[in-house]
Amino acid sequence: MRKTKMQFSLGSENIITVLLLVAGAILPFFLSTYRVSIFSYFFTSAILGLSISFIWGYTGIFSFGQAAFFGIGGYTYGILSKLFDNNALTPVALVAGVALAAAVAAILAWFMFYGGINDVFVGLITMCFTIALSTFLGQTAGSEWKIGDVSLGGFNGITKIPTLYFGSYKCDKVTFYYVTFLILAAIYIALLLLKKTKAGYSLLAIRENRTRSELFGYNVPKIQVIVFTIGGAIAGIAGVLYAAWGNYITPSNLDLSASTLVVVLVAAGGRKNPTAALIFTIAYSIIANTLSSSGSQYALVILGLILILVILFVPNGIITAAFDGIDSAWRKFTGKKTESEGGETA
Amino acid sequence: MSSETNEKVLLELIKVSKQFGGIQAVEDFDLKIQKGDLHCLIGPNGAGKTTVFKLITGQYPVSSGRIKFKGKDITSMSASKRARIGMSIKMQVPGVFEELTLRENIRIAAGNYTNAADLDAETERLIKLVKLDTIGNPPVRNMSHGQQQWLEIAMALSSNPEILLLDEPAAGMGPEETAFTADLVNELNAQGLTILFIEHDMDFVKQIARNVTVLHYGKKFAEGTVEEISNNPAVKQIYLGNV
C-alpha cells in the first residue's frame, strides 16, 4: 500500500542527484583543462561540506573542527609525500593523511563524548582545537620546525607538494578531477544510502533526542565517537586532495574563518540533506571564485549578507526549501498526497 | 524471604537514595517488583516518582543504595545497557521524534533489536498492537497526544522488554483514550509483561493495578494491594484527600 502511494512523489532530490552525478561525469568534455582543475578544488570543499552534513546534519554533532581535520590530512600528505621523495608512494601519504585525521578525531571525540560533553560545548571545544592548531602551524616559520627535510613553513605552509601518482603515472588535471569526483560521489552516495539503513536510523535517533536514544538501547557515546571519527576521515580526505591539487597547504586552510565558512555553507544549503550541502557548497565556491577573480571584494561582502539572510529566514536551508517547494508544487499539480502527509490509509 | 520468592523478584531497589545538591529527592527507598506484576507508584506531586523511574532506568546515578534486575546488580550500568537487558520506559513527556513519521519512529526504536529484513514486518506488528494502523503514516507532530503516548508504548515494546515502566500513561487523555490505554496495559500484562507505572488518576489505578506503593517526600509511605491502599486513612490524608 505504501509503495503504491510513494510513486506519486516527484522526489526532486532523487532527480537532482542523478543529474549531478551525470553532470560531474561529463563536465571535463565541455570545459577547458583549467576550469576542470578548478572544479577539483570545488569538490574538495564539497567533501568537507559532506563531513559536516554527516556529523551535524545526520547525528546532531555541531563541530567547528572539520577544517582542522582537513588541515591534518593536508599537512600529513604534504610532509610524507615530500619525505618519501618517491612519487609512487603518494597514495601511501594519502592513506596516512586520512588515517591521522581520523585518529585525532577519534581521540578528541572519545574525551568529549565519553566525558558527557555535547551540544554547544562540542562546538566550543572543536573551535578551540582548530584555533590552537592553526595558531601553532602559523608560528612554525623557524628553521627548527622541520620534519626531516620538510619545513612546516609558518604562515607560508608547505609548498611544492607532489600531486597524486599511481605507480609511475602522474595524475594530470583531468585524471585528478575524476579521482576527486569519484571520491566525492562515493561519499555522497554512501551518505544517501545510509539514511535508510539501521545505522542511519540510529544516527537520526541521536540527532533528535539523545536521552531517548539511550533508553532505546543505543550506546550514544560510542556511536558519536564512530561518527566523529568517520567525519574526521572525510575531512582528512578533502585536505589530502586539496594539498595534492594545489601542491601547497597553509594554516589559513584550517583557521577559524575556514572552519566557520563551511559550517555556514552547509547550514545555508540544508544541513540534514547531503544533496543540499553539496549543491550549496559547490555553488558558493563557483560564485566566490568568479567574484574574487573579477577583483570585486564588495561582491563577496554581498555574498556574506545573502548567507546571513538565508540562515535567518530559511533556517532549514535554501536548497532543502527548494526541494520541498518543487515536491509540494508537484503534489498540487497531480492532486496527490505523499505517504508522509498521511494520504495513505491501511 | 525464601529463595523461591527471590527468584520471582524481577526488579529490586535496596535503600536507594538520590540527592540533588541539598535536596533529598529519594531517601532509603526499597521496592520489589515480582515477575508478572502490575504495580503502581503513586504519590503527591514532587514525591519523587519520576526520579525513581530515572534511577531505575539509569538516567540518574543513585547517590546511595543498590538496584538489582533479574538478580544482577545494575546500579552502575549505563542506561543503554539496561535497555538492552530488558528494561523499557514510556516517559512522562512523550519521548517521540516529532519531526519524523509514525513508521520512522518505530523503525528507530526497533532498529536496535530487529534484523533489517524483519524491520518492516516488526514495524507493522507494533503499529497494529497499539491500534495506530488506521491513521496512515503522519508526521508525529500531527498526531494527537493520546496517539503519541501509544506510539511511545509501541516503541518501548520494540525491545521485547521484561519490564515496562510507564510514567503517567493516561495523562492528558479523554475517557475513551484512557479506557483503551487501560485495556492495552492489561493485555500486555496478561501476556506476561511485568509493568510498573506511575499514575495520578486513581480510577485508572483501581482499574488495572494489583499492587501499589505510595511515595511521599521521597520515602516509601505505604505499600499494599489497591484495596488496602485505597482504604488506608493515612494515604487518604496525604494523597487522596479523604475521598
Side-chain angles (χ1 to χ4, degrees), chain A residues 2 198 212 216-218 340 346, chain B residues 84 89 108 111 113-114 139 152:
Chain A
R2 279 183 293 128
K198 279 172 61 175
R212 197 65 187 99
F216 284 137
Y218 288 109
S340 66
Chain B
R84 289 198 295 276
I89 182 171
I108 281 177
Y113 303 97
T114 312
E152 198 183 0

Side-chain angles (χ1 to χ4, degrees), chain A residues 1-9 337 339 343-344:
Chain A
M1 187 68 176
R2 279 183 293 128
K3 282 179 183 170
T4 310
K5 283 293 177 187
M6 285 299 279
Q7 71 186 354
F8 296 115
S9 173
K337 286 182 173 180
E339 179 191 25
E344 167 215 25

Side-chain angles (χ1 to χ4, degrees), chain A residues 52-121:
Chain A
I52 302 264
S53 181
F54 178 53
I55 64 164
W56 185 28
Y58 275 47
T59 324
I61 301 168
F62 183 60
S63 164
F64 280 112
Q66 300 316 100
F69 305 128
F70 177 97
I72 290 169
Y75 266 89
T76 305
Y77 176 81
I79 292 164
L80 289 181
S81 60
K82 290 184 81 168
L83 275 179
F84 289 153
D85 198 23
N86 178 351
N87 290 331
L89 291 177
T90 51
V92 177
L94 181 151
V95 172
V98 176
L100 189 61
V104 174
I107 293 166
L108 190 60
W110 191 87
F111 280 108
M112 287 193 301
F113 299 123
Y114 280 100
I117 292 166
N118 273 295
D119 303 321
V120 70
F121 297 103

Side-chain angles (χ1 to χ4, degrees), chain A residues 2 196 198 201-202 204-220 272 339-346, chain B residues 57 59 79-80 83-84 89 91 95 97 100-101 103 107-109 111-116 119 124 133 136-139 152 155:
Chain A
R2 279 183 293 128
K196 296 295 176 189
K198 279 172 61 175
Y201 284 127
S202 69
L204 201 60
I206 291 170
R207 182 189 76 194
E208 296 294 320
N209 189 333
R210 280 194 310 276
T211 304
R212 197 65 187 99
S213 303
E214 287 250 26
L215 295 171
F216 284 137
Y218 288 109
N219 188 336
V220 174
K272 294 178 183 176
E339 179 191 25
S340 66
E341 287 179 323
E344 167 215 25
T345 49
Chain B
T57 53
Q59 294 175 74
S80 61
R84 289 198 295 276
I89 182 171
M91 293 155 81
F97 305 108
L100 307 177
T101 66
R103 283 181 172 75
R107 283 181 195 133
I108 281 177
N112 213 16
Y113 303 97
T114 312
N115 294 327
L119 194 52
E124 298 309 316
D133 54 332
N137 189 28
E152 198 183 0
M155 292 164 82

Side-chain angles (χ1 to χ4, degrees), chain A residues 13-293:
Chain A
E13 187 190 343
N14 297 335
I15 295 170
I16 296 287
T17 299
V18 174
L19 290 177
L20 281 174
L21 293 173
V22 171
I26 63 173
L27 200 68
F29 296 103
F30 299 97
L31 294 180
S32 68
T33 308
Y34 170 74
R35 290 270 172 210
V36 167
S37 178
I38 294 290
F39 264 91
S40 302
Y41 160 61
F42 297 160
F43 288 170
T44 63
S45 300
I47 294 171
L48 185 60
L50 287 183
S51 80
I52 302 264
S53 181
F54 178 53
I55 64 164
W56 185 28
Y58 275 47
T59 324
I61 301 168
F62 183 60
S63 164
F64 280 112
Q66 300 316 100
F69 305 128
F70 177 97
I72 290 169
Y75 266 89
T76 305
Y77 176 81
I79 292 164
L80 289 181
S81 60
K82 290 184 81 168
L83 275 179
F84 289 153
D85 198 23
N86 178 351
N87 290 331
L89 291 177
T90 51
V92 177
L94 181 151
V95 172
V98 176
L100 189 61
V104 174
I107 293 166
L108 190 60
W110 191 87
F111 280 108
M112 287 193 301
F113 299 123
Y114 280 100
I117 292 166
N118 273 295
D119 303 321
V120 70
F121 297 103
V122 172
L124 291 174
I125 287 173
T126 50
M127 182 189 281
C128 292
F129 176 69
T130 303
I131 293 171
L133 190 63
S134 63
T135 306
F136 165 74
L137 289 168
Q139 58 82 52
T140 57
S143 57
E144 71 274 23
W145 293 104
K146 274 186 167 184
I147 297 174
D149 290 334
V150 182
S151 169
L152 294 181
F155 285 114
N156 294 324
I158 302 174
T159 56
K160 296 179 182 171
I161 296 171
T163 190
L164 271 177
Y165 282 71
F166 295 107
S168 60
Y169 175 74
K170 179 186 179 183
C171 283
D172 60 23
K173 286 184 167 36
V174 173
T175 310
F176 192 87
Y177 170 89
Y178 277 114
V179 169
T180 314
F181 171 68
L182 286 175
I183 290 172
L184 171 64
I187 294 168
Y188 170 58
I189 291 169
L191 289 185
L192 289 181
L193 295 176
L194 178 67
K195 264 190 177 178
K196 296 295 176 189
T197 64
K198 279 172 61 175
Y201 284 127
S202 69
L203 306 190
L204 201 60
I206 291 170
R207 182 189 76 194
E208 296 294 320
N209 189 333
R210 280 194 310 276
T211 304
R212 197 65 187 99
S213 303
E214 287 250 26
L215 295 171
F216 284 137
Y218 288 109
N219 188 336
V220 174
K222 183 180 169 186
I223 295 171
Q224 286 176 312
V225 168
I226 292 170
V227 166
F228 199 77
T229 303
I230 295 171
I234 296 172
I237 293 171
V240 168
L241 292 173
Y242 176 82
W245 167 79
N247 311 120
Y248 66 90
I249 183 97
T250 73
S252 66
N253 296 125
L254 57 139
D255 65 9
L256 191 56
S257 63
S259 64
T260 308
L261 180 63
V262 68
V263 171
V264 172
L265 291 178
V266 170
R271 68 187 169 94
K272 294 178 183 176
N273 185 321
T275 311
L278 186 75
I279 292 173
F280 201 80
T281 313
I282 293 177
Y284 174 86
S285 300
I286 293 170
I287 295 167
N289 185 266
T290 308
L291 291 177
S292 53
S293 53

